[in-house]
């Protein structure tokens, strides 16, 4: 296939991410599959990304995730600076056939505003669509910009203007879906795990309360705001409480974390993360929001661990109640579902992941959407001058040195 895609992963974390990073994990899963299908991938990311690609563009040397802690007037320039680099590259590169964008809000707004100067765009909506009503209620990408959701339930809640731009949803995939069968089996323990950012929507407070009441061991893994380790959070002192997730942690979760029955182990990565999930009796999703895509849900299935949770957002779409997990609308019932999850068959979970959430399936679906977006009227690009550089460009297949300065 002769297709060059600029994959815009954004400035926040390297690809693959060192630990936490839902969007970056999805991009790291998608890119190798696309390249296997013959797609040329130019990755717009940060300089420290190690994912093998055909070419890399970066404005920042390293992930800017920590700066998300700063107030808006100090942080908003980060995504803008990254997008300015992407826009410059697109203006100067007629060889790019399509942009697949993953940058929240500013990616969509900037690429929609580029008009004829940009190739066709597919923007993936990874987040809760209630977050940007001012943008999504007014968006006009003409015939050149389309969006896809990460679940049907997410798109069902999209504002009308955004819905007019949609080409459907693509469920997330995980690399674990392909490797699960080859993994050495991990013995299933008694613990239950909640893997993810510690934030009100993910409901760690509810999970911790239920664990204390019902008496099962619960491990919370993931960052609190920008803090990946309990010691880091403790060292940050009072100032850290400016972050709403840090306040949530101290006020609503920490009172139930006794270090014995309920533990917070910080961010986990690589095989430690996989073993933690694969060895759990269940992954718990005590959702207090409409979870849009659920990377960690799909990962749990791939690792053969049933899912227990509140049946909202994408959960009922991903989990078959009674086979791959147990869902309820009633918080009081969660405690009863945890022991019952031990009776579910992990092999069914792995099978489901390999049939529905495999990387090759996700890539095939994206290639279909790329073709659909490229066939839209109004996607022909005027001839552009040859690329003159300006942002860091790395042409190495596996991430060599940066060839041009910023
Ligand atoms: N994650 C991780 N280590 C952690 C917590 C999370 O590797 O300690 C990963 C997790 O495996 C998943 C991603 O971060 O791939 C979280 O993605 P999800 O969509 O579940 O959450 P969100 O993007 O909403 O934060």
């Amino acid at each position: 296939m002769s297709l060059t895609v600029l994959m815009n992963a954004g400035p926040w974390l390297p690809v693959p991410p060192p630990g936490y990073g839902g969007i970056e994990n999805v991009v790291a899963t998608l890119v190798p599959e696309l390249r296997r299908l013959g797609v040329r991938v130019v990755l717009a990311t940060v300089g420290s990304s190690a994912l093998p690609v055909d070419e890399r563009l970066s404005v920042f040397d390293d992930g800017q995730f920590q700066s998300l802690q700063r107030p808006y007037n100090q942080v908003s320039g980060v995504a803008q600076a990254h997008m300015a680099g992407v826009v410059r590259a697109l203006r100067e590169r007629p060889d790019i056939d399509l942009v697949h964008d993953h940058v929240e809000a500013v990616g969509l707004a900037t690429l929609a505003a580029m008009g004829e100067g940009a190739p066709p765009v597919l923007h993936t909506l990874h987040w809760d669509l209630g977050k940007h009503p001012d943008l999504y209620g007014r968006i006009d990408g003409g015939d050149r910009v389309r969006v896809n959701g990460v679940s049907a339930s997410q798109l069902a809640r999209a504002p009308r203007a955004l819905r007019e731009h949609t080409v459907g949803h693509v469920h997330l995939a995980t690399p674990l879906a392909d490797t699960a069968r080859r993994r050495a089996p991990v013995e299933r323990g008694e613990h239950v795990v909640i893997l993810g950012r510690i934030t009100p929507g993910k409901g760690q407070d509810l999970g911790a309360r239920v664990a204390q009441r019902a008496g099962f061991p619960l491990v919370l893994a993931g960052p609190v705001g920008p803090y990946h380790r309990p010691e880091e959070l403790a060292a940050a002192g009072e100032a850290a409480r400016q972050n709403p997730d840090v306040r949530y942690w101290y006020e609503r979760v920490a009172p139930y974390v006794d270090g014995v029955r309920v533990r917070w182990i910080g961010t986990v990565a690589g095989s430690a993360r996989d073993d933690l999930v694969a060895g759990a009796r269940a992954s718990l999703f005590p959702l207090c929001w409409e979870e849009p895509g659920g990377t960690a849900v799909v990962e749990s299935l791939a690792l053969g661990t049933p899912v227990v949770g509140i049946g909202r957002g994408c959960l009922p779409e991903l989990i078959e109640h009674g086979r791959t997990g147990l869902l309820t609308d009633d918080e009081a019932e969660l405690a009863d579902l945890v022991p019952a999850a031990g009776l579910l068959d992990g092999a069914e979970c792995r099978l489901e992941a390999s049939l529905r959430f495999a990387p090759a399936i996700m890539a095939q679906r994206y290639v279909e959407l790329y073709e659909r977006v490229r066939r839209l009227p109004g996607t022909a690009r005027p001839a552009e001058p040859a690329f003159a550089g300006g942002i860091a460009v790395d042409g190495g297949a596996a991430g060599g040195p940066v060839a041009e300065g910023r």
Side-chain angles (χ1 to χ4, degrees):
M1 180 190 308
S2 162
L3 182 69
T4 299
V5 172
L6 186 143
M7 185 74 62
N8 188 17
W12 304 116
L13 289 164
V15 182
Y20 166 77
I23 293 172
E24 293 76 11
N25 271 337
V26 170
V27 171
T29 307
L30 176 61
V31 167
E33 294 295 330
L34 290 175
R35 295 181 78 214
R36 245 192 291 283
L37 294 172
V39 176
R40 234 184 131 250
V41 177
V42 178
L43 183 65
T45 178
V46 293
S48 55
S49 287
L51 185 75
V53 287
D54 297 290
E55 210 178 319
R56 221 166 40 193
L57 308 178
S58 58
V59 169
F60 294 96
D61 293 337
D62 208 351
Q64 301 297 302
F65 186 73
Q66 295 297 325
S67 63
L68 288 170
Q69 166 77 349
R70 298 194 218 134
Y72 173 78
N73 59 357
Q74 289 172 31
V75 73
S76 59
V78 172
Q80 310 283 359
H82 174 87
M83 286 310 297
V86 169
V87 167
R88 198 176 319 146
L90 291 175
R91 287 241 159 87
E92 294 166 348
R93 304 240 349 213
D95 62 307
I96 290 171
D97 298 305
L98 178 129
V99 182
H100 186 175
D101 181 63
H102 302 266
V103 175
E104 184 165 350
V106 66
L108 177 62
T110 308
L111 293 164
M114 274 191 82
E116 278 209 333
V121 173
L122 179 68
H123 170 85
T124 297
L125 300 157
H126 288 272
W127 32 84
D128 168 18
L129 302 184
K131 271 171 93 179
H132 306 292
D134 302 313
L135 173 65
Y136 294 155
R138 293 179 175 86
I139 190 70
D140 182 2
D143 280 334
R144 204 179 38 81
V145 175
R146 287 294 175 270
V147 301
N148 78 277
V150 288
S151 67
S153 72
Q154 176 206 33
L155 286 183
R157 289 184 300 276
R160 195 166 57 87
L162 188 65
R163 214 172 311 141
E164 282 166 7
H165 290 70
T166 63
V167 286
H169 68 275
V170 181
H171 283 141
L172 303 169
T174 161
L176 305 173
D178 275 357
T179 54
R181 282 159 206 273
R182 292 196 297 273
R183 282 174 52 85
V186 174
E187 207 174 311
R188 195 162 294 287
E190 282 305 303
H191 70 275
V192 171
V193 65
I194 303 182
L195 181 80
R197 256 179 315 141
I198 295 185
T199 189
K202 306 259 182 197
Q204 281 91 354
D205 62 315
L206 173 59
R209 284 198 311 274
V210 170
Q212 287 293 3
R213 214 172 40 236
F216 59 81
L218 176 67
V219 179
L220 306 176
V224 174
Y227 305 104
H228 290 284
R229 307 238 52 82
E231 315 82 76
E232 274 175 37
L233 178 62
E238 279 302 302
R241 290 188 191 238
Q242 281 169 7
N243 183 298
D245 288 344
V246 172
R247 282 201 300 279
Y248 167 68
W249 164 259
Y250 279 121
E251 290 165 15
R252 292 175 49 199
V253 188
Y256 301 96
V257 179
D258 56 10
V260 182
R261 182 162 287 163
V262 181
R263 295 187 294 138
W264 175 43
I265 60 169
T267 298
V268 285
S271 58
R273 175 196 64 181
D274 299 351
D275 289 351
L276 175 72
V277 176
R281 190 197 316 181
S283 288
L284 189 59
F285 291 86
L287 298 180
C288 298
W289 74 328
E290 309 305 332
E291 177 80 32
T295 324
V297 177
V298 170
E299 288 167 352
S300 180
L301 294 184
L303 289 163
T305 300
V307 164
V308 170
I310 300 288
R312 60 190 294 185
C314 64
L315 236 58
E317 222 172 300
L318 304 180
I319 300 301
E320 189 181 324
H321 180 77
R323 188 169 72 90
T324 55
L326 296 169
L327 304 182
T328 176
D329 296 333
D330 181 1
E331 290 183 14
E333 225 180 74
L334 271 184
D336 299 334
L337 298 187
V338 166
L343 304 173
L344 299 179
D345 185 357
E348 288 293 318
C349 300
R350 282 192 293 273
L351 179 68
E352 186 78 347
S354 67
L355 293 177
R356 290 181 66 204
F357 311 117
I361 296 171
M362 175 172 74
Q364 191 55 52
R365 176 96 173 102
Y366 271 122
V367 167
E368 285 161 22
L369 293 187
Y370 296 165
E371 288 308 322
R372 201 166 140 194
V373 175
R374 289 185 71 214
R375 282 199 304 270
L376 292 169
T379 50
R381 289 183 81 190
E384 293 287 344
F387 181 54
I391 59 173
V393 177
D394 172 6
V402 167
E404 293 189 61
R406 223 176 281 163

